[in-house]
Amino acid sequence: MFLIYINDICKAVPDAKVKLYADDTNLFLFDTDANNLNTKANTSLKELNTWFETNKLSLNIEKTCYMLFSSSPKNCIKLVLNDIDIQKVHMCKYLGLYFDDQLTWRFHIDYVYKRLLQLIGIFYKLRSKLQYVWLRNIYYAFVHPYLMYGIEIYANTYITYLDKLVKINNKLLRILQNQPLATPVSQLYTSFNLLPIDKLHMLQILLLVFKCLYHSDLVPSIYFNYFVLNNEIHNYNTRLSQGLHICGPRTSFGQKCIQFKGSSLWNRLPTSLKIPSSVVVFKKNLKNYLSTL
């Protein structure tokens, strides 16, 4: 009933993207000029507040905050509503992911790390009491979901930031398999039919590309034209005419864009992997391929 009641909230702020999750409302605004963005943000906030008042709802100022994503630290945005300053934050949780204003994902990595850290003592006690197959199932039930959720996004960061997560994952695998320190890490992953975090990141991005190209009904409409083949851009019969078109980013930050990274990874795949098939078959073949890298 509440969702029906607030169904028209998007119309209240025509110049912003309104994203809703239950009673959580988020506004997303973009502008290349800081002053324009500041004006747009304050106007949108007032329009949203007017909608709340009209519908006999209220905006909780204490729980309202904003974050600025910008390559320039000099950009200063200030939000004010009813003469009250809105709190600016450098990190917030959105749909289970901890975003920071520099998109380093360090807060989210720390969150997952602390969650996994709590399992070390428990796993030490369980490894001598349960069969191997159950220990493997426990890993997939209590560790793997934390690593997989949003891995396309949070693993798209510096290796140094991911290092602590990689190490604790290796440690948990070693504990459950009761293997000595001399055991190669690759053996730990092979035993549980797993991929390391960096390859899981590649797997998920390539799955997205595959779905966009051959199973567009499985992705949101925003991804319908997200990846474009070179032969759709030009008619030249080049070696990469069947590959994905890559728009060269002007910054190192742009190289972390999923569109650029996905296209680059796809173009490097063997031709045998890029043929149309079911998602299950592609995922199995791709996982086998990545495990050999």
Side-chain angles (χ1 to χ4, degrees):
M1 295 297 292
F2 178 77
L3 294 178
I4 295 174
Y5 189 73
I6 65 170
N7 189 49
D8 65 333
I9 193 173
C10 296
K11 298 179 181 179
V13 196
D15 294 330
K17 291 184 179 180
V18 182
K19 302 296 182 181
L20 301 172
Y21 184 77
D23 63 340
D24 215 2
T25 306
N26 293 267
L27 294 182
F28 292 89
L29 298 132
F30 167 80
D31 204 293
T32 54
D33 183 87
N35 292 326
N36 291 342
L37 182 60
N38 188 69
T39 301
K40 190 185 297 185
N42 278 284
T43 300
S44 297
L45 189 61
K46 290 178 182 177
E47 291 174 340
L48 189 61
N49 188 57
T50 300
W51 184 92
F52 281 129
E53 292 176 346
T54 303
N55 288 274
K56 296 180 171 52
L57 297 172
S58 61
L59 183 67
N60 192 328
I61 299 295
E62 295 181 358
K63 291 185 178 180
T64 302
C65 59
Y66 71 97
M67 186 186 298
L68 177 65
F69 299 94
S70 174
S71 59
S72 174
K74 296 181 180 180
N75 285 342
C76 183
I77 305 296
K78 184 177 182 180
L79 295 187
V80 181
L81 182 64
N82 297 330
D83 297 324
I84 301 176
D85 290 344
I86 303 299
Q87 179 188 11
K88 181 181 180 180
V89 297
H90 298 286
M91 182 274 296
C92 72
K93 186 178 183 181
Y94 179 61
L95 298 180
L97 286 171
Y98 287 87
F99 284 71
D100 63 272
D101 54 7
Q102 297 299 313
L103 296 179
T104 62
W105 306 107
R106 295 178 69 177
F107 289 98
H108 185 77
I109 291 171
D110 287 343
Y111 165 75
V112 177
Y113 174 81
K114 291 175 183 177
R115 285 287 186 174
L116 299 185
L117 193 64
Q118 298 172 356
L119 299 173
I120 291 178
I122 299 173
F123 283 6
Y124 269 120
K125 295 176 182 178
L126 289 177
R127 70 178 183 180
S128 60
K129 299 182 178 356
L130 296 176
Q131 297 178 1
Y132 185 85
V133 64
W134 291 108
L135 293 174
R136 181 178 180 275
N137 290 341
I138 284 174
Y139 175 87
Y140 275 97
F142 293 97
V143 179
H144 203 57
Y146 276 111
L147 296 177
M148 290 300 294
Y149 185 74
I151 195 170
E152 303 94 328
I153 301 173
Y154 81 78
N156 198 13
T157 186
Y158 299 107
I159 298 176
T160 52
Y161 294 163
L162 276 176
D163 185 61
K164 62 191 301 184
L165 208 55
V166 171
K167 287 180 178 177
I168 194 171
N169 188 43
N170 294 345
K171 184 171 185 176
L172 291 172
L173 287 171
R174 198 178 301 278
I175 293 171
L176 287 176
Q177 297 178 32
N178 200 12
Q179 295 292 336
L181 288 174
T183 305
V185 173
S186 58
Q187 182 178 321
L188 300 177
Y189 284 91
T190 302
S191 298
F192 273 12
N193 191 27
L194 289 167
L195 290 175
I197 292 176
D198 59 333
K199 292 182 180 179
L200 283 175
H201 172 64
M202 296 167 61
L203 175 72
Q204 292 302 106
I205 291 181
L206 287 168
L207 273 175
L208 173 63
V209 177
F210 181 79
K211 291 176 182 178
C212 290
L213 295 178
Y214 302 123
H215 299 276
S216 58
D217 57 309
L218 299 178
V219 297
S221 58
I222 192 174
Y223 288 111
F224 285 176
N225 298 308
Y226 200 65
F227 300 101
V228 182
L229 293 171
N230 280 323
N231 58 18
E232 296 178 10
I233 302 296
H234 59 74
N235 296 322
Y236 302 112
N237 187 21
T238 62
R239 182 171 57 88
L240 295 177
S241 61
Q242 297 300 316
L244 292 178
H245 180 68
I246 299 177
C247 295
R250 288 176 289 182
T251 63
S252 59
F253 190 80
Q255 293 179 359
K256 294 183 179 295
C257 173
I258 298 297
Q259 191 175 37
F260 172 82
K261 196 166 189 178
S263 299
S264 300
L265 289 172
W266 180 266
N267 289 347
R268 293 201 294 267
L269 283 180
T271 305
S272 59
L273 280 176
K274 294 189 281 189
I275 60 176
S277 64
S278 69
V279 175
V280 175
V281 171
F282 174 75
K283 184 176 181 180
K284 180 181 178 181
N285 294 335
L286 178 60
K287 189 174 181 179
N288 291 335
Y289 169 74
L290 292 176
S291 65
T292 63
L293 297 181

